[in-house]
Amino acid sequence: MKKMDRNLTELLEDEWLLVRHSGETPEIALHSSIYYLTRAKDGPHAALSQEHLDMLQKAAIERFSEIILRDLQHANSGTRIYRGLGRSIINYRRFCTFCLRWKVEPGEIRRQVMKALEVFLATEMAIVSSGKRSSMINCSLRELQFFAEELGIDLLSKFAGIEACCLQID
């Protein structure tokens, strides 16, 4: 392997790690990595192949999936990483916008999110109806309905009584 190829491989690996572990903004991290690798004054001014771009894009998709699903897991509630259902909705919408911009099919992530939301809501309703605690759903019924519709879930027929678990916002 040529020295330049090895250096680019190492740089791509570093940038992949930055995108993959980018916190709440994977698309911004992706753009920053591409900019650094191709145009930044202090960057390597590399010519990235489609394979390189796909690798970085996949890191962003994996991060989006992680942050969306993180907040649909009851096991995460009460931990410092948990942001709640409302944040999951926001991150899912950011992911959908990312998919439109990058011409990516959200299918598998969408299916995972749909299943996770159904489990989350069923678990939440069972806990709340048992009287163990009040609801931790931190969004309005309207927001939850839009989210469920985006995922193909008929919310009110599948989760009768969910209204009582949502934030009451007029």
Side-chain angles (χ1 to χ4, degrees):
M1 185 184 294
K2 294 184 224 170
K3 183 177 181 180
M4 180 58 170
D5 290 341
R6 191 183 85 243
N7 288 341
L8 180 56
T9 299
E10 290 171 4
L11 287 169
L12 279 164
E13 288 171 0
D14 290 345
E15 293 303 312
W16 182 92
L17 282 169
L18 289 170
V19 173
R20 180 61 185 82
H21 301 285
S22 58
E24 298 289 313
T25 56
E27 186 171 15
I28 293 170
L30 174 61
H31 283 286
S32 294
S33 287
I34 292 169
Y35 176 79
Y36 168 72
L37 290 168
T38 61
R39 297 186 308 274
K41 189 175 182 178
D42 61 339
H45 295 273
L48 299 180
S49 69
Q50 189 59 50
E51 182 181 343
H52 297 145
L53 293 170
D54 290 347
M55 180 183 86
L56 294 170
Q57 183 185 72
K58 189 174 188 308
I61 291 168
E62 289 172 8
R63 181 61 186 158
F64 267 117
S65 175
E66 186 174 68
I67 64 176
I68 295 164
L69 294 171
R70 166 198 71 203
D71 295 320
L72 291 174
Q73 305 298 315
H74 273 90
N76 290 334
S77 67
T79 67
R80 64 178 188 76
I81 64 167
Y82 188 72
R83 305 288 185 268
L85 179 56
R87 175 59 74 157
S88 188
I89 294 170
I90 290 166
N91 284 328
Y92 182 75
R93 292 200 175 120
R94 286 179 181 163
F95 171 68
C96 289
T97 301
F98 169 86
C99 288
L100 287 172
R101 280 190 197 118
W102 290 83
K103 297 175 179 58
V104 173
E105 177 56 43
E108 181 54 33
I109 304 294
R110 186 185 160 281
R111 282 185 287 281
Q112 290 173 14
V113 172
M114 180 183 72
K115 288 177 187 174
L117 178 61
E118 289 176 335
V119 170
F120 178 89
L121 293 176
T123 303
E124 184 65 9
M125 288 186 72
I127 292 169
V128 170
S129 67
S130 75
K132 291 180 182 174
R133 67 162 166 72
S134 59
S135 177
M136 66 178 190
I137 294 177
N138 64 346
C139 64
S140 69
L141 177 61
R142 182 180 172 98
E143 291 169 312
L144 184 55
Q145 280 183 294
F146 285 140
F147 187 41
E149 285 175 19
E150 289 175 75
L151 296 170
I153 300 169
D154 186 357
L155 183 70
L156 297 179
S157 67
K158 192 159 190 167
F159 299 98
I162 192 70
E163 311 86 45
C165 294
C166 296
L167 290 178
Q168 304 302 312
I169 302 172
D170 292 338

